[in-house]
C-alpha cells in the first residue's frame, strides 16, 4: 500500500502537467510565434528531466524498501571429536602349513590303501602300503643271523670276563654281532619306506592314486591330508607401512564368497623386504570357522595401521583447493534469529581418509559449524542462511 500511495501522486502530477502543457501548446501553435514555441519546448524538456530524476529516486526507494535480500542457502555440520580407526586394505589367500600331498619313498605296487576320503586320521597312523619286493623275507633271514651272532657274542663275552679265550675271538664275535644288528636296522629302514603314515593329525582330503597302481618314489602322489586347525592369511604390505604394521595389530578379514567377516590379529611380520615390489610379508592367524574357511580361499584384509582417539572427520566433498594448493572449507559464525550467519573460509590440513570421510588435523576445532550443502556456492565473508 505504501508503494501505491507514493506512485499515485506522481502519476496524477504527470497527467496534470500533460493536460496543462497540451492546452498551452495548442494556443502557442495557433498564435504561430516561433520564439514562443522554442521557449515552450525548452520548458517542457526541463520538466521532463525533472520527472525522470524523480522516477529514478522513486525506483531506488522502492528497491531498497520493497525487495528481499537474497543470500545463499546452506546446511551445516558440527565438528566433533570421534575415534578414528584407519585401515590398510589388502588382498590375501588362506593358507595352512598342514596341507600336503604324500609321495612314496620306494617304488613298487600300491598294494593297500587303508583310509577313505573325509576320514579323520591321527599322527603316525598307517595310510597305505607298497609291495616290499621281498624285504620282509630278507629281514627274517637277517634277524636269524643276528640272533645267532648275539648268542655267540654273549658266550664269548662270558668267557672273556672269566679270562678264558683270546681277545681276538671276543672282538670278532662283538664285531659280527654289531654288523648283524646294523644289517637288521638297515632292512627295517628300507621296509619302513614301503608304508605311508600320517605326518600329523588331520582329514584325508583326497585319494589320488588307487591301490594296484605302480608308483615311483617322489613322483607319484598318493594321498592329500589337511589339518584346518592352524590356518592363516599371508599378504604383502608396502614397505612404507613398516612402522605401523606390527605384531598384535587388529585385523578385519572379509571373505566375499562366504559373506563373512572375522576379527583377528597379526601373528607374524616378515623381516625381509622383497626388492622386486618393495613389500614385506604379514601373517594373520584365522580360525577354521567350523570348516567353512578353506585353504586358497580369497580374503580381503583390513589392517588397523592408525588410530586417533580425538579425530575430526568431515566429508571430502566439501573441501576445495586454492591456486597455491592449500585445502580449505567454510565455517559459519553464530547465527541470528533469522538463521543468517557469515561464512568464513579456513585453511585446513588433512590426514588419512576412510571411505568418504577425511581426517582434519589442523584448521577446525571441535564445535565449529562447517558448511556442508552449499559449500561450493559461497564466498569468504558472505552472509548465508542456515537451513538445518
Amino acid at each position: 500500500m505504501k508503494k501505491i500511495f507514493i506512485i499515485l501522486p506522481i502519476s496524477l502530477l504527470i497527467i496534470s502537467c500533460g493536460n496543462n502543457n497540451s492546452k498551452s501548446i495548442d494556443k502557442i501553435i495557433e498564435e504561430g510565434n516561433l520564439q514562443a514555441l522554442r521557449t515552450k519546448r525548452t520548458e517542457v524538456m526541463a520538466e521532463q528531466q525533472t520527472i525522470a530524476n524523480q522516477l529514478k529516486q522513486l525506483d531506488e526507494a522502492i528497491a531498497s524498501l520493497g525487495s528481499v535480500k537474497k543470500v545463499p542457502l546452506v546446511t551445516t555440520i558440527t565438528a566433533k571429536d570421534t575415534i578414528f580407526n584407519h585401515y590398510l586394505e589388502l588382498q590375501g589367500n588362506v593358507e595352512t602349513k598342514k596341507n600336503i600331498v604324500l609321495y612314496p619313498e620306494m617304488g613298487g605296487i600300491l598294494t593297500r590303501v587303508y583310509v577313505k576320503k573325509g576320514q579323520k586320521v591321527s599322527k603316525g597312523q598307517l595310510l597305505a602300503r607298497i609291495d616290499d619286493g621281498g624285504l620282509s623275507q630278507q629281514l627274517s633271514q637277517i634277524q636269524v643271523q643276528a640272533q645267532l651272532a648275539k648268542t655267540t657274542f654273549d658266550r664269548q663275552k662270558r668267557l672273556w670276563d672269566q679270562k678264558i679265550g683270546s681277545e681276538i675271538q671276543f672282538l670278532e664275535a662283538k664285531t659280527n654281532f654289531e654288523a648283524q644288528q646294523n644289517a637288521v636296522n638297515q632292512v627295517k629302514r628300507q621296509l619302513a619306506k614301503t608304508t605311508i603314515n600320517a605326518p600329523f593329525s588331520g582329514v584325508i582330503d583326497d585319494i589320488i592314486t588307487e591301490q594296484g597302481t605302480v608308483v615311483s618314489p617322489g613322483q607319484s602322489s598318493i594321498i592329500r591330508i589337511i589339518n584346518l586347525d592352524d590356518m592363516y592369511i599371508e599378504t604383502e604390505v608396502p614397505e612404507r607401512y613398516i612402522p605401523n604394521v606390527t605384531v598384535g595389530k587388529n585385523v578385519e578379514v572379509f571373505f566375499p564368497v562366504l559373506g563373512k567377516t572375522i576379527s583377528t590379529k597379526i601373528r607374524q611380520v616378515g623381516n625381509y623386504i622383497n626388492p622386486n615390489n618393495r613389500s614385506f610379508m604379514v601373517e594373520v592367524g584365522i580360525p577354521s570357522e567350523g570348516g567353512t574357511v578353506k585353504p586358497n580361499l580369497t580374503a580381503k584384509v583390513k589392517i588397523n595401521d592408525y588410530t586417533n582417539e580425538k579425530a575430526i572427520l568431515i566429508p571430502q566433498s566439501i573441501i576445495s583447493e586454492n591456486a597455491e594448493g592449500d585445502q580449505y572449507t567454510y565455517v559459519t559464525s553464530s547465527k541470528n534469529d533469522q538463521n543468517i550467519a557469515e561464512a568464513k573460509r579456513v585453511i585446513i590440513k588433512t590426514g588419512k581418509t576412510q571411505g568418504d570421510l577425511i581426517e582434519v588435523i589442523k584448521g577446525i576445532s571441535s564445535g565449529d559449524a562447517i558448511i556442508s550443502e552449499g559449500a561450493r556456492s559461497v564466498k569468504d565473508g558472505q552472509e548465508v542462511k542456515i537451513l538445518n
Side-chain angles (χ1 to χ4, degrees):
M1 290 299 293
K2 187 174 181 180
K3 288 189 252 183
I4 296 174
F5 288 138
I6 294 173
I7 297 172
L8 185 58
I10 300 301
S11 303
L12 294 175
L13 175 63
I14 294 172
I15 294 171
S16 175
C17 293
N19 291 336
N20 293 335
N21 288 342
S22 178
K23 293 179 182 178
S24 301
I25 291 171
D26 289 342
K27 291 180 180 180
I28 294 173
I29 292 174
E30 289 177 359
E31 292 175 357
N33 188 337
L34 180 59
Q35 184 62 36
L37 288 171
R38 290 177 177 174
T39 302
K40 191 61 179 177
R41 184 179 183 280
T42 302
E43 292 175 359
V44 172
M45 290 183 64
E47 292 174 357
Q48 183 181 7
Q49 184 63 39
T50 301
I51 293 173
N53 292 337
Q54 291 174 346
L55 288 173
K56 182 178 179 182
Q57 293 175 0
L58 291 171
D59 290 338
E60 291 176 354
I62 292 171
S64 62
L65 295 175
S67 62
V68 178
K69 189 173 184 179
K70 295 182 179 180
V71 294
L73 305 178
V74 300
T75 62
T76 61
I77 56 175
T78 303
K80 296 180 181 179
D81 290 338
T82 183
I83 298 176
F84 174 49
N85 292 314
H86 181 267
Y87 290 92
L88 171 64
E89 298 186 6
L90 303 167
Q91 184 113 356
N93 293 323
V94 178
E95 305 283 349
T96 176
K97 291 182 172 65
K98 294 184 177 181
N99 174 21
I100 63 173
V101 175
L102 302 177
Y103 292 85
E105 296 183 81
M106 178 178 287
I109 299 174
L110 184 63
T111 57
R112 185 75 182 272
V113 176
Y114 297 96
V115 292
K116 299 179 181 179
K117 290 183 181 180
Q119 179 179 336
K120 292 183 178 181
V121 296
S122 302
K123 181 178 180 180
Q125 181 176 335
L126 180 61
L127 305 180
R129 186 182 295 277
I130 300 169
D131 179 37
D132 58 20
L135 283 176
S136 299
Q137 291 80 2
Q138 183 179 349
L139 177 62
S140 298
Q141 294 174 1
I142 295 178
Q143 285 177 332
V144 171
Q145 296 174 3
Q147 185 62 38
L148 176 60
K150 182 177 184 307
T151 302
T152 303
F153 171 69
D154 290 341
R155 290 180 178 180
Q156 198 66 39
K157 185 174 185 305
R158 285 196 298 269
L159 293 174
W160 177 250
D161 291 339
Q162 297 174 8
K163 304 300 182 180
I164 301 174
S166 65
E167 182 180 4
I168 191 65
Q169 291 176 327
F170 169 73
L171 293 177
E172 287 178 350
K174 180 181 178 182
T175 302
N176 185 42
F177 169 63
E178 291 176 348
Q180 292 297 327
Q181 281 294 111
N182 290 334
V184 169
N185 293 334
Q186 183 178 3
V187 174
K188 284 183 176 181
R189 287 194 294 269
Q190 291 292 324
L191 194 60
K193 293 180 180 181
T194 63
T195 61
I196 298 176
N197 300 85
F200 51 79
S201 298
V203 177
I204 302 300
D205 187 65
D206 191 15
I207 305 296
I208 303 173
T209 303
E210 299 297 333
Q211 62 185 29
T213 306
V214 177
V215 296
S216 301
Q219 297 182 1
S220 302
S221 52
I222 308 297
I223 295 172
R224 178 183 293 275
I225 181 172
I226 296 178
N227 188 314
L228 301 181
D229 293 336
D230 186 23
M231 293 190 295
Y232 62 94
I233 293 176
E234 199 171 56
T235 184
E236 293 182 335
V237 180
E239 64 178 353
R240 66 178 179 272
Y241 293 103
I242 287 179
N244 300 325
V245 178
T246 56
V247 174
K249 281 283 188 177
N250 293 326
V251 180
E252 289 184 4
V253 180
F254 174 67
F255 300 100
V257 174
L258 304 177
K260 179 185 293 186
T261 300
I262 62 173
S263 297
T264 180
K265 294 180 181 295
I266 295 177
R267 72 180 190 184
Q268 183 178 346
V269 175
N271 297 312
Y272 172 74
I273 303 296
N274 188 338
N276 296 324
N277 56 8
R278 309 308 304 174
S279 65
F280 61 98
M281 300 301 296
V282 167
E283 190 174 297
V284 179
I286 57 171
S288 62
E289 291 293 311
T292 57
V293 178
K294 301 182 184 299
N296 295 320
L297 190 64
T298 301
K300 293 183 179 179
V301 180
K302 295 171 65 176
I303 301 175
N304 177 214
D305 65 322
Y306 172 77
T307 298
N308 187 349
E309 299 289 341
K310 293 184 177 180
I312 294 177
L313 304 177
I314 64 173
Q316 298 187 56
S317 58
I318 68 174
I319 298 178
S320 302
E321 189 172 307
N322 59 22
E324 288 76 25
D326 297 324
Q327 293 180 314
Y328 66 89
T329 189
Y330 289 95
V331 298
T332 61
S333 59
S334 57
K335 56 189 177 181
N336 59 24
D337 55 354
Q338 296 180 348
N339 285 345
I340 302 297
E342 181 182 352
K344 180 182 178 182
R345 185 174 65 180
V346 290
I347 302 297
I348 61 175
K349 183 179 179 181
T350 58
K352 297 182 178 295
T353 61
Q354 193 73 61
D356 296 331
L357 300 177
I358 188 168
E359 177 190 21
V360 178
I361 300 175
K362 185 178 179 181
I364 294 178
S365 302
S366 179
D368 287 349
I370 308 167
I371 296 178
S372 55
E373 295 184 18
R376 302 286 186 180
S377 60
V378 300
K379 298 180 180 179
D380 188 24
Q382 185 179 18
E383 288 188 344
V384 295
K385 185 171 183 178
I386 302 172
L387 296 180
N388 332 4

